[in-house]
Amino acid sequence: MSTVEEIERAIQQLPPEKLTELRAWFVAFDAEAWDQDLDEDVRAGLLDQLGDDALADLDEGRCSGL
């Protein structure tokens, strides 16, 4: 299986129990990839400005309690 179309066709042929298994695997796979991307962004400092902005908002009283 080397193309998206082939993968799509294979997925469409899965029995319900295997489709459920695939969904669970993909959710975990996708979450791990997202976590890795986020970690890389944090290490690269790409979120620093967001944190600084949030702390400034807190210091200036523009935040409410949870």
Side-chain angles (χ1 to χ4, degrees):
M1 280 186 227
S2 59
T3 68
V4 172
E5 291 82 11
E6 289 172 322
I7 295 167
E8 288 172 350
R9 281 193 297 276
I11 290 171
Q12 290 170 346
Q13 295 174 12
L14 290 174
E17 66 276 2
K18 291 297 181 183
L19 186 56
T20 299
E21 189 178 321
L22 175 64
R23 282 187 188 116
W25 172 84
F26 189 79
V27 165
F29 171 81
D30 193 43
E32 179 64 28
W34 192 90
D35 287 348
Q36 288 177 1
D37 288 345
L38 181 61
D39 287 345
E40 290 171 13
D41 289 349
V42 168
R43 280 193 294 278
L46 298 177
L47 303 176
D48 290 353
Q49 187 61 52
L50 292 173
D52 293 343
D53 292 347
L55 290 173
D57 287 343
L58 180 63
D59 291 343
E60 295 173 21
R62 293 189 298 258
C63 297
S64 59
L66 296 175

